[in-house]
Amino acid sequence: MAKITLGGNPAETSGDLPKIGSQLSNFKLVAVDLSTKTLDDFKGSNLILNIFPSVNTGVCATSVRTFNKTGASLNNTKVLCISRDLPFAQDQFCGAEGLEDVVMLSDFRNGDFGKTNGLIFTNSAFEGLLSRSIIAVNAKGEVIHTEQVSETGDEPNYEAALNAFK
């Protein structure tokens, strides 16, 4: 279980991020069209998983905008933006912002993605939401970079995530 902070107050998650060199566990997440997406849907692509509590907060929205701009420049790379927001809210956000270079996915149905990857806040005001994290996965499905942002109100290290593929 990771110990992080939320607004400077102690918070914990349900586990730890996947280990570097491990295979990313398969997942079932809901796309904005309500279809189910799994890891197989992205097979052969490098992935940046931008994971956050809610697209309706400033830092989370900034991370989606930033990865929409920077992630699209990487060859054979898809940016998956994952939260427990409803797909409708994710779609509205991207539509209003004109964002087309990220894939919005929701863990709202059963939270298995968050449980499997140790991402769910187990206490604090954000209990049940996903912690701000980055998981970079190469085209073979191997985890090559992780970051669990120690203070939830801070932005992730975008450069480190992007550099994992260089």
Side-chain angles (χ1 to χ4, degrees):
M1 131 179 23
K3 294 185 185 290
I4 56 177
T5 57
L6 174 62
N9 298 308
E12 296 178 350
T13 64
S14 57
D16 296 309
L17 294 176
K19 300 218 180 295
I20 301 295
S22 68
Q23 288 290 127
L24 183 66
S25 297
N26 199 9
F27 54 75
K28 285 185 180 179
L29 294 167
V30 182
V32 296
D33 65 0
L34 299 181
S35 65
T36 299
K37 297 293 183 189
T38 68
L39 187 56
D40 285 341
D41 290 308
F42 305 100
K43 192 173 192 145
S45 295
N46 296 319
L47 302 175
I48 297 174
L49 281 62
N50 175 33
I51 305 153
F52 50 88
S54 175
V55 75
N56 290 317
T57 64
V59 176
C60 300
T62 296
S63 73
V64 174
R65 287 185 204 107
T66 300
F67 277 122
N68 183 73
K69 186 177 355 177
T70 59
S73 67
L74 294 175
N75 189 32
N76 192 38
T77 302
K78 297 188 183 322
V79 177
L80 311 183
C81 293
I82 304 169
S83 69
R84 297 203 68 197
D85 290 304
L86 291 176
F88 311 113
Q90 293 174 334
D91 191 35
Q92 287 174 336
F93 172 80
C94 285
E97 296 278 333
L99 305 179
E100 298 177 349
D101 293 323
V102 294
V103 178
M104 299 298 282
L105 298 170
S106 178
D107 193 29
F108 86 98
R109 283 202 174 129
N110 56 25
D112 282 347
F113 174 80
K115 291 173 196 165
T116 299
N117 293 292
L119 300 165
I120 298 176
F121 280 101
T122 58
N123 61 1
S124 81
F126 281 8
E127 185 172 345
L129 296 178
L130 302 177
S131 67
R132 185 177 320 289
S133 304
I134 302 294
I135 301 172
V137 179
N138 66 21
K140 295 185 262 180
E142 299 168 337
V143 176
I144 60 171
H145 170 79
T146 63
E147 176 190 10
Q148 189 160 48
V149 179
S150 58
E151 166 51 53
T152 304
D154 292 342
E155 292 180 57
N157 185 338
Y158 304 108
E159 190 173 322
L162 297 170
N163 285 339
F165 296 107
K166 292 184 179 175

